[in-house]
Amino acid sequence: SVEAEVGRVGRCPTRAQLASAAFWTMVAGAAPRVVIVPGNGCDDLVGANWYLWMAERLRAEGHFSEVVARTMPDSHAARRKFWLPFMLGALAVDDSTIVVGHSSGAVATMRFLEDHPTRGAVLVSACHTDLGDAGERASGYYPPSGGPWKWSRIRSNAGPTGGNLLVLHSDNDPFIPRDEAEHVASSLGVPCRIVPGRSHFFKPCEELIQAVYEVSFPDGGYEPIASSK
């Protein structure tokens, strides 16, 4: 049992133990792994938005078995036929994985969840329509050409009991209207957290880290250790 394992290492674990992914793996089973799926247009993740910042931050905090952030194939068009197989194969997204998807990456994550189980997902700047953009329409994600959204499948494949999802959006996103994200959240029956003044989430911010922790540890008890400030 968890109680027995904690007792075996001592009733008062050290700070080093509390910051160790190995400790939590022993106590509570497998620590979650995190895969970050970026938005389109990123030829190289170095210096792109917050992706490597998040990866380094989560690794440093030590509560995750692995944190993966890689440049995606077909990075500008972000087409479904390339991204979903890459997520399944190269990124090894599985039922131990928390997926953090941003913009096109959030949409790709939603389609991925229609067919594959995960441990949960954070959907940052998500939408459900192509917003009248020809390039987005050609990506293959959106109805009608991409098929209807299978909301119940997305929900059921997010976490062991389903529904382990959080939609994160800004009140001044210049590309994706707020009602797009709210529709996604409502269709999935999950929270839509509106953060003031974060635009399209181009820059690092604590709200991103907190969202990952909430989905990774839905029972609570674990908070970010480090600070970007």
Side-chain angles (χ1 to χ4, degrees):
S1 69
V2 171
E3 292 80 2
E5 294 294 345
V6 171
R8 193 161 63 83
V9 298
R11 291 295 177 183
C12 297
T14 67
R15 184 177 180 82
Q17 287 172 329
L18 290 172
S20 167
F23 174 79
W24 292 112
T25 298
M26 178 190 70
V27 171
R33 67 189 294 268
V34 174
V35 168
I36 300 166
V37 184
N40 66 352
C42 297
D43 293 320
D44 187 343
L45 288 196
V46 176
N49 299 329
W50 42 265
Y51 311 127
L52 294 189
W53 167 83
M54 173 178 279
E56 292 168 2
R57 169 82 176 269
L58 295 179
R59 289 171 189 144
E61 296 196 0
H63 289 155
F64 304 90
S65 63
E66 182 182 25
V67 183
V68 178
R70 290 181 56 181
T71 300
M72 301 292 285
D74 194 43
S75 59
H76 284 270
R79 284 171 288 183
R80 178 179 182 173
K81 65 181 180 181
F82 296 115
W83 278 34
L84 268 57
F86 190 78
M87 291 172 67
L88 185 62
L91 300 182
V93 175
D94 62 12
D95 60 5
S96 71
T97 305
I98 301 294
V99 186
V100 183
H102 175 226
S103 197
S104 294
V107 178
T109 298
M110 289 156 60
R111 285 299 190 186
F112 185 91
L113 281 163
E114 291 183 341
D115 296 309
H116 306 285
T118 68
R119 191 157 173 166
V122 178
L123 306 174
V124 184
S125 306
C127 60
H128 68 100
T129 74
D130 61 27
L131 299 169
D133 183 276
E136 295 293 341
R137 191 175 308 120
S139 67
Y141 297 110
Y142 303 98
S145 62
W149 288 106
K150 300 174 183 176
W151 300 114
S152 62
R153 293 280 295 276
I154 296 170
R155 180 181 171 86
S156 66
N157 277 326
T161 59
N164 190 25
L165 296 152
L166 194 155
V167 176
L168 196 64
H169 207 75
S170 175
D171 65 352
N172 66 340
D173 191 313
F175 305 119
I176 300 176
R178 175 172 173 164
D179 61 4
E180 287 275 324
E182 289 176 336
H183 179 88
V184 169
S186 175
S187 298
L188 293 172
V190 301
C192 182
R193 180 168 301 160
I194 304 298
V195 182
R198 293 299 187 187
S199 184
H200 194 57
F201 284 92
F202 290 121
K203 298 179 180 180
C205 64
E206 290 302 307
E207 291 91 347
L208 290 163
I209 298 295
Q210 189 63 44
V212 174
Y213 268 80
E214 289 181 31
V215 172
S216 299
F217 306 106
D219 295 329
Y222 314 118
E223 295 290 334
I225 295 172
S227 173
S228 63
K229 296 179 181 178

